[in-house]
Amino acid sequence: MSDKHTAIDAELVRALANILNETELTEIEVEKDDLKIKVKREITVAAAPVAYAAAPAPVAAPAAAAPAAAAAPAAPAARSGEEVKSPMVGTAYLQPAPGSDPFISVGAKVKKGQTLLIVEAMKTMNPITAPRDGVVAEILVGDAQPVEFGEALVVLEA
């Protein structure tokens, strides 16, 4: 009897975990007869920035894409233009919806107030706008990349 319940429970738990992954839910609970199963996942925004905060320490390895973006605050002297920085910890998105065209591209002319990208924080989409008219010289983050408060996201030139 115990083995049968264990096999059923494992299958059910796997199925529930797959549902969590597919739907962005954070918790599912199923109850049947005397069996009650709760599957929960924790999403922490602080976990990703910790990894990026530690990344700038080994400055000798700028070849990797993520450490290069994280090491950006260590190399602002090499950039000409104005850095547009993240006003919060979150996840950067370069387009308004998956599969759509990005807000900006390198070399694009932008107007003051134009949306450059979005930073999602606590399930709220926050548009990051151009502080002035200019030309996009660099895009320093990738799509769906975690970003820290004060991290340079885009470089604008006159």
Side-chain angles (χ1 to χ4, degrees):
M1 181 170 109
S2 159
D3 290 337
K4 183 178 176 185
H5 282 296
T6 304
I8 292 171
D9 294 351
E11 290 174 26
L12 184 56
V13 170
R14 280 190 197 97
L16 293 173
N18 285 336
I19 291 170
L20 283 180
N21 288 333
E22 293 168 0
T23 62
E24 294 188 30
L25 293 172
T26 57
E27 184 176 318
I28 272 187
E29 186 173 332
V30 175
E31 194 170 340
K32 183 178 180 182
D33 300 325
D34 63 340
L35 177 66
K36 183 176 180 180
I37 297 175
K38 182 189 280 189
V39 179
K40 195 176 192 180
R41 72 174 170 172
E42 241 179 77
I43 300 174
T44 57
V45 178
V50 171
Y52 280 88
V59 179
R79 284 195 196 103
S80 64
E82 179 180 353
E83 292 179 343
V84 178
K85 297 182 179 189
S86 179
M88 65 196 71
V89 172
T91 303
Y93 292 101
L94 302 179
Q95 65 251 5
S100 63
D101 291 334
F103 289 107
I104 57 169
S105 60
V106 174
K109 292 181 182 179
V110 296
K111 297 282 185 192
K112 180 179 181 177
Q114 179 179 337
T115 300
L116 303 174
L117 51 92
I118 293 173
V119 174
E120 176 190 9
M122 300 181 69
K123 302 207 184 266
T124 301
M125 300 298 182
N126 302 285
I128 307 304
T129 58
R132 61 175 176 81
D133 292 357
V135 176
V136 178
E138 272 185 275
I139 301 172
L140 304 171
V141 294
D143 191 46
Q145 176 182 325
V147 295
E148 294 183 37
F149 171 78
E151 180 177 343
L153 305 170
V154 175
V155 176
L156 293 180
E157 291 182 340

